[in-house]
Amino acid sequence: MFKKIIAVLLAVLMITGLVGCGGEKPKDENKGNDKPKTSDTTDAPVETDEPEPTVDPHDVGEKLAEFNPTGTVEETVLFDNEISKITLKSLEYTDYEAIFNLSIENKTDGELDYSCGSVGYCVNSVNGYMVSEGFMNCQVPANTTQDESFDMSFYSLKQYGIFEIADFEIGFSITDEEYNKTYTGPLAVKTSIADGYDYSKHSFANTAATQAAQNTYHYNIDYFAADELYNEGGIRLVTEVLYTNDENEQYLMLEFENNSDIAATISISQLTVNGLLINDSSCAVETPNPGKRTIIKVDTRDMLADPACASALNAARMNTVSFSVEAYDENYNTIADGKTVSMKTSDDTASFDSTGTEVFNSDGISITAKPAIDPISEYRSDIIVALLLKNNSGEQISVEYIRDTLKINGIACDSTIYPNETPNGTTSVFFVEIDESFLEENSLSAASQISSVEFELKISDSDGSVISEPTISSCLLYTS
């Protein structure tokens, strides 16, 4: 009897559950209405101090096209001599990169070190453009063959206008246990799509200024020109780009073509912004293979010692830019003479700010001190004093700091003032950087506490003859 009662109760529970699962659904009060039904009472919006999120237009705009992973290669012996044999086995692709698979044979009785695409030796190129991609370093034991690979990212290649691989050159530095080096030179390979590839269509100049490129790499073009501004010794400057990135930093990109028959080192120096020489030495160097193009990227951030200095000198934004170009061979013999290239990159006519306190004037040479400046970068704690050197002496001069003569507020300071070379008819800038340790030792924390700067200089002409050895002394007015 008890079992029958339990069975009846279970049956009742099951029927109740089925009704709960399959019964009538709640009525949708909004069905058939254009607008959802709302409550009679509306909550007031909650006010917060949080700013409205902003959308970066680069994130939502058109991006560069996808990379075309169709170029393939057959197994090819790239290099073979008495010490080593390097074989390209295949070219494969992932969603993000091209992978070059190699077989490397060490024929010697000692270990060999192989390097490709390194800072010390990089001759890699793709579709006629020198690239920094393709780094590899490995050690191969004596009398051993081992598989290795390196990659090139699509993201980096597309900056050059490279969307598929038609041909490439790679090279290796081979070092034995006695540090003797063998350089393979550029080893050229054509892929399966080389014969139909249009080199004139796919280029840096046709890509860099597009909105898709700006969206992909998060920059805005300030200036673009495909003008030949330099042509000496087979070296041509063919494209000039000035852009600003998301951090509000400006970069200069210059496309050069090497039509000489040797690897040519191209040097950019004497960089002048808004009429002010901010770097008197070489600030960017690249070495394209014969017949190749290279993009030289000039980073101006470190040339003005601090962003606050750039602002105080009115050189933070480039309105006019000039620089010297020269090229030389591996033995530093000049193959393309130095020549100044000038560009007007903005309609703004403002030049650098030449105001300040004149602290020296003799023989056509004057020095003007700017007020001390607090750093605005979170990565620097130095206080900066900028000095403008105007040279109307009739020839190039060099300025050298005499060691151990710097005094800040009358206290000896061991900071260094770097040498400066200024051509005739030019105004340059050099800096006194008062480092953090000196400031802490002397309880100085702000530029407003720097009342005086004193140091000695040696000014020489182009032959090295001393023109003057002045003591520079300035009572500074603080600027924020």
Side-chain angles (χ1 to χ4, degrees):
M1 181 66 182
F2 179 74
K3 291 182 178 179
K4 288 183 179 181
I5 294 172
I6 294 298
V8 170
L9 289 174
L10 287 174
V12 172
L13 288 173
M14 289 176 65
I15 292 170
T16 304
L18 289 171
V19 171
C21 292
E24 183 180 356
K25 295 181 181 178
K27 184 178 180 181
D28 184 355
E29 297 182 6
N30 290 324
K31 188 173 182 179
N33 295 334
D34 291 335
K35 296 181 180 179
K37 184 175 180 179
T38 58
S39 170
D40 293 337
T41 60
T42 303
D43 294 334
V46 179
E47 295 184 3
T48 68
D49 294 331
E50 293 293 326
E52 287 290 330
T54 57
V55 177
D56 186 340
H58 292 134
D59 290 332
V60 297
E62 176 192 7
K63 302 296 193 297
L64 288 174
E66 295 296 320
F67 200 89
N68 177 19
T70 57
T72 59
V73 297
E74 296 183 356
E75 183 170 316
T76 305
V77 176
L78 300 176
F79 180 79
D80 192 2
N81 70 356
E82 65 278 4
I83 68 168
S84 183
K85 180 179 179 181
I86 303 174
T87 303
L88 176 66
K89 303 287 286 185
S90 64
L91 171 58
E92 300 176 345
Y93 301 91
T94 70
D95 291 340
Y96 306 101
E97 60 194 8
I99 300 176
F100 299 74
N101 297 307
L102 305 167
S103 173
I104 300 178
E105 178 183 355
N106 175 4
K107 301 179 182 180
T108 72
D109 294 330
E111 182 179 84
L112 293 179
D113 181 278
Y114 293 79
S115 182
C116 174
S118 66
V119 174
Y121 185 68
C122 183
V123 296
N124 298 350
S125 69
V126 177
N127 298 359
Y129 281 92
M130 303 300 296
V131 297
S132 57
E133 293 289 296
F135 173 76
M136 185 203 76
N137 180 252
C138 66
Q139 293 74 43
V140 181
N143 299 303
T144 300
T145 299
Q146 69 185 44
D147 293 335
E148 293 290 340
S149 66
F150 62 84
D151 59 72
M152 296 186 182
S153 79
F154 299 157
Y155 183 83
S156 295
L157 292 178
K158 288 194 288 187
Q159 295 183 76
Y160 302 90
I162 299 170
F163 294 85
E164 54 193 339
I165 299 178
D167 72 77
F168 57 89
E169 290 182 351
I170 55 177
F172 299 84
S173 169
I174 307 172
T175 307
D176 64 20
E177 294 176 329
E178 302 298 323
Y179 299 100
N180 299 306
K181 290 185 177 292
T182 298
Y183 298 101
T184 66
L187 307 171
V189 177
K190 289 187 176 183
T191 75
S192 57
I193 65 171
D195 292 340
Y197 186 76
D198 187 349
Y199 289 85
S200 63
K201 178 181 178 182
H202 303 285
S203 67
F204 171 77
N206 290 342
T207 303
T210 65
Q211 190 59 54
Q214 295 177 69
N215 292 338
T216 300
Y217 300 108
H218 285 242
Y219 63 75
N220 292 308
I221 293 292
D222 301 314
Y223 174 83
F224 173 88
D227 298 331
E228 184 183 280
L229 299 182
Y230 181 89
N231 190 343
E232 299 287 336
I235 307 301
R236 298 173 60 228
L237 170 57
V238 295
T239 309
E240 306 81 34
V241 177
L242 179 66
Y243 73 86
T244 301
N245 66 14
D246 282 352
E247 303 298 323
N248 203 34
E249 300 162 337
Q250 277 191 309
Y251 290 84
L252 189 62
M253 289 195 293
L254 307 169
E255 180 181 9
F256 283 88
E257 184 176 88
N258 178 11
N259 291 321
S260 73
D261 57 1
I262 63 171
T265 297
I266 303 171
S267 174
I268 305 298
S269 62
Q270 300 286 319
L271 183 67
T272 301
V273 174
N274 301 349
L276 179 66
L277 177 64
I278 63 173
N279 191 324
D280 60 322
S281 59
S282 179
C283 55
V285 174
E286 293 290 347
T287 305
N289 298 337
K292 305 301 178 186
R293 294 191 174 201
T294 189
I295 309 302
I296 297 182
K297 186 175 182 179
V298 182
D299 182 353
T300 65
R301 292 174 301 170
D302 295 332
M303 298 173 193
L304 295 168
D306 190 276
C309 273
S311 178
L313 295 168
N314 194 33
R317 310 303 296 172
M318 299 185 190
N319 304 320
T320 61
V321 182
S322 67
F323 49 86
S324 177
V325 180
E326 64 177 338
Y328 47 89
D329 63 18
E330 61 181 352
N331 297 315
Y332 298 98
N333 299 310
T334 299
I335 62 174
D337 292 333
K339 178 182 175 182
T340 298
V341 172
S342 299
M343 300 182 295
K344 182 171 176 54
T345 57
S346 165
D347 292 333
D348 193 336
T349 59
S351 63
F352 69 94
D353 182 359
S354 61
T355 61
T357 303
E358 187 175 90
V359 294
F360 175 79
N361 193 333
S362 178
D363 301 311
I365 303 166
S366 65
I367 298 176
T368 300
K370 306 288 287 185
I373 302 171
D374 277 319
I376 62 172
S377 169
E378 60 180 307
Y379 304 107
R380 302 180 64 117
S381 299
D382 300 348
I383 290 175
I384 308 296
V385 178
L387 297 106
L388 305 179
L389 173 63
K390 186 175 183 178
N391 177 20
N392 285 322
S393 67
E395 61 181 322
Q396 179 166 302
I397 61 171
S398 62
V399 175
E400 183 179 351
Y401 166 63
I402 298 177
R403 289 177 59 86
D404 301 325
T405 62
L406 177 62
K407 295 180 181 179
I408 306 297
N409 294 357
I411 306 169
C413 178
D414 62 0
S415 295
T416 297
I417 304 172
Y418 293 99
N420 173 291
E421 292 190 3
T422 305
N424 181 55
T426 301
T427 300
S428 64
V429 59
F430 63 100
F431 303 99
V432 178
E433 299 185 35
I434 309 170
D435 62 60
E436 182 180 10
S437 60
F438 175 85
L439 296 171
E440 289 179 351
E441 290 171 3
N442 294 279
S443 301
L444 301 171
S445 59
S448 58
Q449 296 174 291
I450 307 300
S451 59
S452 68
V453 173
E454 182 180 307
F455 55 91
E456 297 177 20
L457 296 175
K458 180 172 71 173
I459 304 175
S460 306
D461 62 20
S462 55
D463 295 324
S465 301
V466 176
I467 299 173
S468 178
E469 291 186 329
T471 296
I472 306 300
S473 181
S474 174
C475 293
L476 300 172
L477 296 176
Y478 165 71
T479 186
S480 58

